[in-house]
């Protein structure tokens, strides 16, 4: 179903008829939360809706969690401490220094595209920018870049046999269950991270990794496991998500050319257009929480230990929050979408980097291309978690 399309109509029906519904499938079953207001309420109440069992459908053991826990899988007070270490590096002011770099990188990537005619936008553009921005933020050596990109791809699209030969749910072995995504590529990513860390220890710079190495949490340095996991969450959370937003943005502009004309005619709309692209694309369909106590949400009675799936993709189309939610409107304001999470402490750490990247890529595209048209069927990644496109054939006009 997800490989074909996002089931927006089905979510609309669930919002009307079963706002918080129990689905007995997927292991031990799960509560499925569809309305905007309930999603925000659960995100806010971290004491009841815990992130401590992870944010995916997976059912990890305590040992798995201990080895693989990243910031996204922690609750306060541990979360608060970890977040304090990295938040400065991701503030709006701190990331503004990358503006020039991102614009130059985007221009280079666009220079390499055919001047007009048909090409795959995911391969040629959307995939190229985010990982290179991350590599820059983390201070990765250029020699490691290709491996870094390859590992990022194999991990994120880990349910799609077109992209990885180790498919989650099909090829799981206990040998890798303590590594990110239960994958040998997760182990390779950690190994790469350790090499890079060793380089930074020997020769510190002003990049994020060097700062993490020097950071202290309550007088303690981050452990080796914390560092491994920071390295992997940044790759996993910051690469494909931004790629999806950029690719789906262009798909939306193929489908609604009037909105592209409107944005090109009025670059003052770039900020609202960026957030509309991010609402529309909702790169991460859901986040999971686990009930830490018996509670109720949206009329449902939830028991301690139950898995609770917050469908951001449904909340982003909730008619109770958004006027005409199924209309793509580059001037939408307000736009309190859920794509970065909302209401709780886990709000995407990379929110300012992501917005800056999407905005600068849109600006560069608007300077160059007067029209995008679909030149074939977009191909979706087989995943209920990310809204990824693996191919987006487009025809561009100058
Ligand atoms: C359009 C792009 C992006 C989207 C849609 C996105 C989405 C999200 C979402 C939904 C969450 C979890 C929120 C929750 O639990 O409620 C999250 C957390 C996170 N994101 Fe992003 N993200 C994007 C880009 C980035 C980038 C570029 C980075 C890093 C450079 C990043 C790093 C993180 C980290 C580290 C977390 C965990 C934060 C925490 O648990 O405190 N993200 N992101």
């Amino acid at each position: 179903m997800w490989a074909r399309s996002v089931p927006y109509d089905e979510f609309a029906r669930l919002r009307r008829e079963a706002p918080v519904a129990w689905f007995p499938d997927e292991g031990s079953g799960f509560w499925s939360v569809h309305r905007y207001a309930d999603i925000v309420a659960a995100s806010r109440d971290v004491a009841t809706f815990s992130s401590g069992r992870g944010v995916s459908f997976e059912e990890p053991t305590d040992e798995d969690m201990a080895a693989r826990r990243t910031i996204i899988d922690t609750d306060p007070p541990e979360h608060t401490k970890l977040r304090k270490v990295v938040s400065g590096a991701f503030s709006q002011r701190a990331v503004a220094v990358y503006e020039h770099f991102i614009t130059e990188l985007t221009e280079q990537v666009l220079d390499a595209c055919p001047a007009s005619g048909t090409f795959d936008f995911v391969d040629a553009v959307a995939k190229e920018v985010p990982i290179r921005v991350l590599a820059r933020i983390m201070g990765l050596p250029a020699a490691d870049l290709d491996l870094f990109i390859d590992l990022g791809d194999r991990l994120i699209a880990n349910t799609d046999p077109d992209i990885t030969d180790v498919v989650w749910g099909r090829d799981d072995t206990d040998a890798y269950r303590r590594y990110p995504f239960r994958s040998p590529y997760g182990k390779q990513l950690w190994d790469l991270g350790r090499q890079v860390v060793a380089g930074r220890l020997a020769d510190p710079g002003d990049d994020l990794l060097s700062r993490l190495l020097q950071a202290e949490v309550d007088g303690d340095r981050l452990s080796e496991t914390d560092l491994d996991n920071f390295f992997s969450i940044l790759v996993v959370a910051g690469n494909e998500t931004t790629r999806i937003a950029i690719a789906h943005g262009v798909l939306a502009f193929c489908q609604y050319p009037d909105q592209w004309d409107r944005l090109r005619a009025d670059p003052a709309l770039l900020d609202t257009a960026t957030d509309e692209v991010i609402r529309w694309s909702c790169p991460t369909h859901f986040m999971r929480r686990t009930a830490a106590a018996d509670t109720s949400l949206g009329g449902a009675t939830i028991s301690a230990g139950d898995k609770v799936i917050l469908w951001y993709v449904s909340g982003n189309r909730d008619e109770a929050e958004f006027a005409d939610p199924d209309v793509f409107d580059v001037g939408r304001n307000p736009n309190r979408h859920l794509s970065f999470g909302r209401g709780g402490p886990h709000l995407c750490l990379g929110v300012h980097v992501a917005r800056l990247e999407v905005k600068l890529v849109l600006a560069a595209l608007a300077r160059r291309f007067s029209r995008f048209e679909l030149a074939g069927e977009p191909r979706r990644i087989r995943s209920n978690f990310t809204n990824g496109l693996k191919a987006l054939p487009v025809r561009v006009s100058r």
Side-chain angles (χ1 to χ4, degrees):
M1 178 180 77
W2 292 94
R4 277 196 310 278
S5 63
V6 176
Y8 291 113
D9 291 346
E10 185 59 12
F11 277 127
R13 186 184 71 77
L14 288 165
R15 281 194 302 275
R16 280 191 311 273
E17 296 175 8
V20 180
W22 175 254
F23 285 80
D25 17 54
E26 293 283 347
S28 55
F30 65 97
W31 290 101
S32 186
V33 184
H34 311 115
R35 285 188 184 161
Y36 182 97
D38 292 332
I39 293 169
V40 174
S43 305
R44 201 166 270 148
D45 183 1
V46 289
T48 310
F49 294 96
S50 160
S51 297
R53 303 306 303 175
V55 292
S56 76
F57 274 103
E58 219 183 318
E59 290 176 6
T61 62
D62 289 346
E63 292 77 27
D64 297 344
M65 278 321 292
R68 284 165 42 182
R69 189 185 303 283
T70 75
I71 183 172
I72 211 168
D73 314 305
T74 57
D75 291 323
E78 193 188 348
H79 175 263
T80 321
K81 285 188 207 162
L82 286 172
R83 183 95 184 192
K84 218 191 271 171
V85 176
V86 278
S87 56
F90 287 93
S91 70
Q92 193 163 11
R93 212 174 53 168
V95 307
V97 302
Y98 300 114
E99 178 159 351
H100 181 66
F101 168 76
I102 298 172
T103 298
E104 279 210 329
L105 171 64
T106 309
E107 293 295 344
Q108 276 167 19
V109 165
L110 294 180
D111 285 345
C113 292
S116 58
T118 302
F119 59 91
D120 179 2
F121 188 83
V122 174
D123 248 0
V125 184
K127 183 172 171 170
E128 291 297 318
V129 178
I131 192 91
R132 290 192 155 76
V133 174
L134 272 180
R136 167 70 185 255
I137 292 176
M138 289 156 80
L140 276 195
D144 295 331
L145 197 60
D146 287 343
L147 177 60
F148 187 63
I149 293 175
D150 184 54
L151 293 176
D153 282 356
R154 286 172 193 262
L155 288 176
I156 273 296
N158 70 335
T159 48
D160 191 325
D162 280 359
I163 299 182
T164 180
D165 55 336
V166 183
V167 177
W168 190 69
R170 187 190 74 180
D171 304 319
D172 302 342
T173 66
D174 277 349
Y176 294 103
R177 57 181 303 137
R178 308 258 162 94
Y179 295 101
F181 290 84
R182 271 192 203 194
S183 164
Y185 301 114
K187 175 170 179 346
Q188 282 188 36
L189 183 66
W190 274 10
D191 292 344
L192 174 63
R194 287 194 179 175
Q195 275 173 35
V196 177
V197 163
R200 283 293 165 287
L201 280 170
D203 181 18
D206 67 349
D207 54 274
L208 177 67
L209 276 186
S210 300
R211 269 196 253 171
L212 288 181
L213 288 169
Q214 284 146 25
E216 293 196 350
V217 185
D218 289 351
D220 296 328
R221 292 281 162 102
L222 290 177
S223 68
E224 194 169 48
T225 310
D226 285 335
L227 283 167
D228 289 340
N229 283 320
F230 256 124
F231 197 80
S232 70
I233 181 115
L234 288 177
V235 177
V236 169
N239 175 25
E240 172 80 7
T241 47
T242 318
R243 179 195 306 182
I244 295 172
I246 294 169
H248 270 287
V250 164
L251 174 56
F253 287 120
C254 290
Q255 292 164 331
Y256 306 102
D258 59 312
Q259 294 299 307
W260 187 240
D261 294 342
R262 196 177 156 207
L263 176 61
R264 290 190 84 218
D266 183 4
L269 290 173
L270 266 173
D271 283 319
T272 51
T274 296
D275 266 302
E276 182 65 343
V277 160
I278 294 169
R279 177 187 78 95
W280 192 254
S281 57
C282 197
T284 307
H285 289 141
F286 69 84
M287 283 283 142
R288 172 246 181 110
R289 300 290 188 260
T290 306
D294 294 350
T295 187
S296 65
L297 182 70
T301 304
I302 294 177
S303 303
D306 286 353
K307 204 186 281 187
V308 180
I309 302 292
L310 308 175
W311 289 104
Y312 296 167
V313 64
S314 173
N316 272 353
R317 299 293 179 103
D318 189 336
E319 32 297 282
E321 169 64 22
F322 300 98
D324 299 323
D326 295 323
V327 171
F328 178 66
D329 171 6
V330 294
R332 185 179 289 279
N333 189 14
N335 189 350
R336 291 182 290 259
H337 62 75
L338 301 178
S339 298
F340 292 122
R342 182 168 291 274
H346 288 281
L347 171 79
C348 174
L349 177 71
V351 60
H352 300 300
V353 189
R355 279 209 178 100
L356 188 64
E357 277 183 56
V358 174
K359 178 177 165 179
L360 295 175
V361 170
L362 287 180
L365 292 172
R367 286 194 294 274
R368 243 173 233 243
F369 300 125
S370 63
R371 186 59 87 235
F372 291 103
E373 290 165 280
L374 271 182
E377 273 298 301
R379 285 173 56 234
R380 297 175 55 75
I381 289 178
R382 180 183 168 276
S383 167
N384 65 1
F385 181 58
T386 83
N387 193 14
L389 292 177
K390 52 189 170 191
L392 177 62
V394 292
R395 193 173 307 110
V396 295
S397 320
R398 292 273 169 173

